[in-house]
Amino acid sequence: MKSTFKFLAFIVLMILANIRLEATTYLVSTIQEFNTAVLAAVPGDSIVLKKGNWVDVRLIFRGNGTVDNPITLTVEQPGRTFITGNSNLRIYGNYLIVDGLYFKDGKSPTGSIIEFRNGSAETSNYSRLTNSAIVNFNPPSTTTDYKWVSLYGSNNRVDHCYFAGKNHSGTLLVVWMDSSPDFHTIDHNYFGYRPVYGANGAETIRIGTSDWSMYNSNCVVEYNYFEECDGEIEAISNKSCENIYRYNTFYRTAGTLTLRHGNRCEVYENFFFGDNKASTGGVRIIGEDHKVFNNYFADLKGAGYWSALSMVNGVPNSPLNRYFQVKNALVAFNTFVNNTSNFDIGTGKSDEQSLPPVDCIIANNLVQSQSAPIINYTDQPVNLFYEGNIMFGADLGIPQPSGITMVDPELEFAADTVWRITQNSPAKDSSVGVYDLVTNDFDGQLRDTLKDIGVDELSTDPITRIRASRLTTGPTFLNFILNGGKIIKVGAGLDSLFNAIQNAEQYDIFELITSGGQYENSSTIIINEEIEIRAAEGLQSLPIISNISLNNDESVFAINVNGSLKISKVELNGGRGTSAYKNAIIKTQSSPITNYYVSADRCYFNSVGDNGIGSFFTASPYTVADSLAFRKCTFTGSEGIGIKLDNEDLNSGRYNVKNFTLENSTLWNLKKEAVSIYGGDTLETTPGPTININHCTFDSIGLSGTRMLSFSEAHNTEVKNSIFSNSNFNSESILISGSMSQILFSDTFQVGSFVLERNSSAVFVILGFDPLYQPGPSGYYMLANNSPLLGKASDWRAMGDLRWDPTLTAVEEDNPLSVKSFNVMQNYPNPFNPFTNITFNIVIDGNVSLRVYDLTGSLVKTITDGYFKSGTHTVVFNAETLPSGIYFYRLQQGNNSETKKMIFLK
């Protein structure tokens, strides 16, 4: 009997054990349920946070999974499960995965937002943060220092995450070290917009600290996308040894990948695209035995420490936190195109920084630049060896050594927006020396025995490496974050839009479907989320949004805590005349120093204010916008200042906007200034606003005797390609006060004087040319065909709002960067199998043919033969029915034709 009982008990235990071996999913809706689930979880289990807002939670995720059965913390619905308020996360244990978390508009109550530890003794190993996001998780004060992600332990991974909007002190992602290597991987993340902080300690990534900089970290940073990560000069700060930075893309980032401390790091196959933005840089070298190869640097506008490639002077007997001498650096097989400063050697030379680079090699690099000098010796290097380099386009800047050939590399701008060598390029098969570490080019194609100079190897091998971009990085719900949530269609009617927005969720899009419809609201619409309001496609007239309340202190929209607004193709009517003054949009003073944005595209703002009060946009004191952007907008009928961003006390150091953009817009018939911005104080160390006014038309502004524009103590102002006409001739029209500020390529006609203070300047400003506006109704500013302002802008177009340029087609006006020439670009990818993209430009409307021929000249396929509008077009060619081989494609329009070669490999 006992044997039978023991046998049955054994069977029951086995059944129970097998049942528990099945992974358990814990769906939790409170922090108490979460904590209970964490205690119960075993390898293979998942803890799922229920959809909704998790407010003021401190998540402590601990446990010990296995390599085959990790423990996972995830969410019920990615992108709709928010962690906000005073919240943070601690991960510690082994083989733990955090997947799908979204920290939004809160702040950490203590320490980093996410730490791979819980206390100094309990760290994580072999754990992972993936498919997650942190956006605008900032404290009230920008001087508060905490990190967003802190990595401790070893062999952890942060991947496919999105980080954006960090505005306060502290590195975004830090690797904290000890005496053992870390072996962390940071990959496929999208590091989004981070505004200039104005002081040290605002890096995007830092690996190590000065104290541990001579120890190996062995981290890999790869396949990440950095966009406008402008916190400080060191976008990445390396402070340890033997790390690898590869396959990353830096776009419009005003900083550099800085090898600040430590030795023996490798930087290869990265893309640095400056897009001609100020202070964009490349790689800064400090220390010993670093290797920088196979990188692409283009349109970078930084110089000195912000150069495309700089080698910094060292400090004798340098302490760990200063500058070690550059020794044995290798810079090879890189391509530099259209940079302001390509090589700066001996950067930072001073009485203290007196040790120039020594025993370095610059080999097989390709440089094409119009900026002189191509190489700048801030200090004379010691035993710097050149070989196999091709440089062209500007003065070399140093006596030409034998290792540099000054010859046109014959580059071609390809469809993938990079400059590549051609079959006739002198860079082909011309490298010198043996560099075994350079086995591939930036496409992942194998280098042959005779390697090509620069980053690109002409090859028939398939392209295996696609550069990091928005599309290849970030979480699966990133499209939801960037491009909106659900679309809600709204018809015209009293309070129809007001009522719809009452139930708004983050990133919702409100689409107005009634052409010319009156969207009247009986009260101000409060914006508490990031939302978009836009006209539906195909409407003949703009929908009109107005406030018909009799209360004189209301607005059409009020942006409240956590709110941001994007609007397009709508009219905002303040209702002037219906009641007293109103604003179109106001940012409320409901919380201190909030981060938000407003973007308006193709909108019409009119009829705001009374008794000298009321604006199209006004920011309340103690509020600051990350960005305010108005493009292709029209503004008319304001009693107060049109765009009012000057609501801070003098010399307070506070200002209302970080980045202000006004482009291709027309402002007319305004009683006071069109735009007024105050920069905080007279100190240049206060970061202040960055202001860009480009291609705008200002007419009949300041009719009550004020200026047209007022930018006071704004040290980063650029006003260009604009027209100022018909203001109060007897008073100042424009005030620009601040260093590094200027007005250029603009016309002032029948306006008062302009005042330039604190080293601001005027360049190529035309005084007194009549724009010759064509006759038409009020607000019609089309330039006559004989206007003296046609072709006078810095981009060779007309001054003023390009919508009034009679020489532009609609396509060109929509795309101011469109190419005004007939050409076809190199297909991409090439070689290809079986699809490839072909992009071409035409300057006049008409019939265009694009045909493919084989080596005998026989026509094998017509890709397209039809009518195209002028502009840039891309078509896809499918060659799956053709045999492998070399083909030619030919673009033809009338008497114009152009032919290029492509390679199809099955």
Side-chain angles (χ1 to χ4, degrees):
M1 187 67 179
K2 284 185 177 180
S3 297
T4 302
F5 178 78
K6 288 182 179 179
F7 177 75
L8 290 173
F10 174 76
I11 295 298
V12 170
L13 288 173
M14 289 300 295
I15 292 172
L16 291 174
N18 287 332
I19 291 174
R20 191 62 189 93
L21 286 175
E22 294 292 328
T24 300
T25 298
Y26 300 91
L27 179 62
V28 298
S29 57
T30 67
I31 188 65
Q32 292 77 18
E33 292 176 355
F34 168 81
N35 291 333
T36 300
V38 168
L39 291 174
V42 298
D45 287 353
S46 296
I47 301 169
V48 181
L49 303 185
K50 193 171 180 59
K51 171 189 171 183
N53 292 328
W54 288 71
V55 183
D56 297 338
V57 292
R58 300 189 66 181
L59 301 170
I60 300 177
F61 179 44
R62 61 177 178 265
N64 287 289
T66 66
V67 63
D68 296 320
N69 291 288
I71 302 173
T72 301
L73 169 61
T74 186
V75 297
E76 182 182 25
Q77 185 175 352
R80 292 292 188 185
T81 307
F82 302 101
I83 300 174
T84 186
N86 296 312
S87 300
N88 56 24
L89 168 67
R90 300 295 177 257
I91 308 166
Y92 72 95
N94 298 285
Y95 297 105
L96 303 175
I97 297 177
V98 175
D99 182 352
L101 269 60
Y102 185 5
F103 288 81
K104 179 74 172 69
D105 293 325
K107 67 181 181 70
S108 176
T110 179
S112 305
I113 299 171
I114 300 175
E115 292 186 8
F116 281 68
R117 69 169 185 173
N118 188 43
S120 59
E122 300 172 315
T123 61
S124 284
N125 303 292
Y126 302 99
S127 295
R128 182 181 181 191
L129 173 68
T130 186
N131 192 41
S132 296
I134 304 177
V135 178
N136 296 335
F137 220 75
N138 297 314
S141 172
T142 58
T143 61
T144 300
D145 184 337
Y146 63 72
K147 283 59 177 174
W148 279 17
V149 179
S150 286
L151 280 165
Y152 294 88
S154 67
N155 294 280
N156 297 309
R157 183 183 180 193
V158 178
D159 68 285
H160 294 90
C161 293
Y162 176 61
F163 306 100
K166 189 178 194 296
N167 75 337
H168 61 98
S169 178
T171 306
L172 191 150
L173 188 155
V174 180
V175 172
W176 299 96
M177 295 178 58
D178 55 26
S179 58
S180 301
D182 306 295
F183 297 110
H184 300 310
T185 301
I186 302 164
D187 65 287
H188 292 91
N189 300 290
Y190 182 173
F191 294 95
Y193 171 70
R194 180 175 187 180
V196 174
Y197 179 65
N200 290 331
E203 306 97 328
T204 297
I205 294 177
R206 191 185 77 220
I207 299 181
T209 58
S210 301
D211 293 344
W212 295 99
S213 57
M214 293 298 114
Y215 289 80
N216 291 349
S217 185
N218 297 106
C219 288
V220 177
V221 179
E222 62 182 3
Y223 292 109
N224 300 287
Y225 184 67
F226 300 82
E227 181 172 8
E228 303 209 47
C229 296
D230 300 342
E232 62 148 276
I233 184 174
E234 297 179 18
I236 293 180
S237 182
N238 178 88
K239 294 187 175 181
S240 50
C241 299
E242 297 192 5
N243 299 307
I244 294 175
Y245 303 92
R246 64 188 180 191
Y247 318 144
N248 303 288
T249 298
F250 298 81
Y251 176 68
R252 290 178 56 83
T253 288
T256 63
L257 192 168
T258 302
L259 304 176
R260 182 64 181 87
H261 301 309
N263 303 316
R264 302 181 303 280
C265 292
E266 294 187 356
V267 179
Y268 60 90
E269 295 179 39
N270 302 283
F271 291 85
F272 297 84
F273 294 103
D275 195 34
N276 296 308
K277 176 181 170 181
S279 300
T280 47
V283 176
R284 184 155 55 117
I285 300 175
I286 302 156
E288 301 180 9
D289 300 309
H290 296 306
K291 296 177 174 61
V292 180
F293 59 95
N294 263 356
N295 300 284
Y296 181 86
F297 306 88
D299 302 312
L300 302 170
K301 293 304 167 186
Y305 284 106
W306 284 265
S307 296
L309 193 290
S310 62
M311 296 183 184
V312 178
N313 257 29
V315 173
N317 302 311
S318 177
L320 289 174
N321 66 345
R322 291 301 291 147
Y323 291 91
F324 281 78
Q325 187 176 23
V326 177
K327 296 180 180 179
N328 304 315
L330 171 65
V331 180
F333 291 92
N334 303 286
T335 293
F336 302 79
V337 182
N338 300 331
N339 303 302
T340 294
S341 175
N342 294 287
F343 290 90
D344 194 277
I345 311 299
T347 312
K349 176 186 177 182
S350 67
D351 291 342
E352 182 200 22
Q353 288 179 240
S354 59
L355 299 179
V358 61
D359 296 334
C360 298
I361 298 173
I362 297 178
N364 299 311
N365 299 284
L366 189 155
V367 183
Q368 179 169 287
S369 176
Q370 297 301 318
S371 297
I374 293 176
I375 301 175
N376 178 55
Y377 280 176
T378 304
D379 198 1
Q380 184 71 33
V382 177
N383 196 31
L384 177 58
F385 178 70
Y386 294 94
E387 68 174 353
N389 301 283
I390 288 179
M391 302 185 180
F392 181 74
D395 292 336
L396 182 58
I398 60 172
Q400 184 174 345
S402 59
I404 297 177
T405 302
M406 301 293 287
V407 62
D408 188 347
E410 298 193 27
L411 300 181
E412 182 175 64
F413 192 64
D416 61 344
T417 69
V418 298
W419 292 91
R420 295 174 176 270
I421 64 172
T422 61
Q423 288 290 341
N424 297 322
S425 172
K428 186 176 183 297
D429 298 335
S430 299
S431 65
V432 179
V434 178
Y435 297 94
D436 292 334
L437 80 168
V438 183
T439 59
N440 298 77
D441 75 349
F442 67 166
D443 293 318
Q445 296 171 322
L446 286 173
R447 300 266 188 175
D448 54 27
T449 303
L450 296 174
K451 299 172 183 175
D452 299 342
I453 294 172
V455 77
D456 184 25
E457 181 84 8
L458 284 172
S459 174
T460 58
D461 293 340
I463 291 174
T464 60
R465 185 170 297 118
I466 304 300
R467 70 173 179 256
S469 68
R470 280 187 172 190
L471 301 178
T472 63
T473 55
T476 55
F477 57 88
L478 180 60
N479 186 64
F480 165 81
I481 296 176
L482 297 179
N483 300 317
K486 60 183 181 296
I487 297 176
I488 302 163
K489 297 185 181 297
V490 184
L494 178 63
D495 285 333
S496 61
L497 182 58
F498 179 92
N499 292 330
I501 291 179
Q502 297 307 300
N503 299 314
E505 292 184 323
Q506 193 78 344
Y507 309 119
D508 280 349
I509 299 172
F510 295 87
E511 196 165 84
L512 310 187
I513 61 175
T514 306
S515 180
Q518 295 286 338
Y519 289 80
E520 296 179 329
N521 301 280
S522 57
S523 185
T524 301
I525 298 175
I526 307 299
I527 308 298
N528 288 316
E529 309 284 349
E530 292 185 43
I531 66 169
E532 178 180 353
I533 301 171
R534 70 190 186 196
E537 289 296 324
L539 300 189
Q540 298 302 308
S541 301
L542 299 182
I544 303 169
I545 307 172
S546 61
N547 184 334
I548 62 171
S549 167
L550 297 180
N551 294 328
N552 65 3
D553 59 349
E554 292 199 4
S555 304
V556 179
F557 294 108
I559 299 174
N560 209 343
V561 181
N562 301 330
S564 287
L565 180 63
K566 179 179 180 182
I567 55 175
S568 57
K569 297 183 180 179
V570 298
E571 176 180 337
L572 267 63
N573 190 313
R576 191 179 69 189
T578 302
S579 62
Y581 57 86
K582 289 188 180 72
N583 300 293
I585 306 173
I586 186 171
K587 170 58 183 173
T588 63
Q589 191 183 336
S590 54
S591 65
I593 308 299
T594 55
N595 298 285
Y596 69 100
Y597 68 85
V598 172
S599 171
D601 180 64
R602 302 168 195 253
C603 292
Y604 191 87
F605 295 80
N606 74 96
S607 300
V608 293
D610 201 359
N611 300 318
I613 301 174
S615 302
F616 302 119
F617 181 91
T618 186
S620 297
Y622 296 94
T623 65
V624 57
D626 276 339
S627 67
L628 299 173
F630 301 89
R631 295 181 173 90
K632 297 183 182 178
C633 291
T634 299
F635 302 82
T636 185
S638 169
E639 289 283 321
I641 295 172
I643 298 174
K644 183 173 174 55
L645 299 166
D646 58 4
N647 281 321
E648 299 295 352
D649 294 334
L650 291 178
N651 296 317
S652 64
R654 297 190 300 269
Y655 45 92
N656 295 133
V657 62
K658 295 177 181 177
N659 293 277
F660 178 81
T661 300
L662 183 67
E663 291 180 344
N664 283 331
S665 295
T666 296
L667 302 91
W668 64 283
N669 189 28
L670 308 180
K671 289 290 185 66
K672 296 185 178 181
E673 292 94 337
V675 185
S676 180
I677 299 177
Y678 176 58
D681 54 38
T682 61
L683 300 176
E684 294 185 16
T685 53
T686 298
T690 296
I691 302 169
N692 289 288
I693 311 288
N694 189 24
H695 276 298
C696 292
T697 297
F698 299 87
D699 184 75
S700 301
I701 309 292
L703 298 177
S704 63
T706 67
R707 302 184 181 104
M708 302 180 80
L709 292 178
S710 180
F711 300 136
S712 178
E713 309 304 344
H715 299 292
N716 297 284
T717 298
E718 184 176 82
V719 179
K720 66 181 180 180
N721 301 326
S722 296
I723 301 172
F724 301 87
S725 58
N726 304 313
S727 78
N728 189 329
F729 192 77
N730 296 317
S731 63
E732 296 176 0
S733 288
I734 300 169
L735 168 67
I736 299 178
S737 171
S739 61
M740 298 183 292
S741 296
Q742 59 183 346
I743 178 172
L744 63 163
F745 292 96
S746 295
D747 178 43
T748 56
F749 175 70
Q750 292 187 352
V751 302
S753 61
F754 54 87
V755 178
L756 304 174
E757 298 177 345
R758 302 193 187 283
N759 297 318
S760 57
S761 61
V763 182
F764 298 115
V765 176
I766 298 172
L767 302 177
F769 276 25
D770 187 342
L772 296 181
Y773 300 129
Q774 289 188 23
S778 295
Y780 186 80
Y781 293 98
M782 184 68 71
L783 301 179
N785 289 326
N786 62 338
S787 170
L789 304 185
L790 297 180
K792 293 299 192 298
S794 61
D795 55 8
W796 304 105
R797 300 181 185 276
M799 292 181 177
D801 188 341
L802 289 175
R803 295 177 296 174
W804 305 115
D805 183 348
T807 68
L808 290 185
T809 65
V811 171
E812 288 177 313
E813 185 263 308
D814 281 346
N815 178 17
L817 299 179
S818 61
V819 179
K820 302 185 79 173
S821 63
F822 174 94
N823 71 316
V824 62
M825 297 183 184
Q826 187 63 50
N827 65 301
Y828 180 79
N830 186 43
F832 64 98
N833 177 27
F835 298 99
T836 191
N837 299 293
I838 300 175
T839 299
F840 60 90
N841 299 288
I842 58 174
V843 294
I844 59 174
D845 301 350
N847 198 74
V848 176
S849 67
L850 185 60
R851 295 184 171 93
V852 179
Y853 301 84
D854 62 19
L855 286 173
T856 68
S858 300
L859 176 66
V860 296
K861 191 165 185 176
T862 297
I863 300 175
T864 185
D865 188 1
Y867 184 85
F868 286 83
K869 299 282 288 183
S870 64
T872 302
H873 306 273
T874 299
V875 295
V876 179
F877 173 48
N878 182 359
E880 61 182 344
T881 60
L882 301 178
S884 297
I886 297 175
Y887 294 89
F888 297 90
Y889 56 98
R890 185 181 192 187
L891 178 72
Q892 184 160 3
Q893 183 186 35
N895 295 324
N896 295 317
S897 66
E898 187 171 354
T899 303
K900 280 190 168 55
K901 182 172 67 174
M902 59 183 172
I903 301 172
F904 174 42
L905 291 177
K906 287 188 174 179

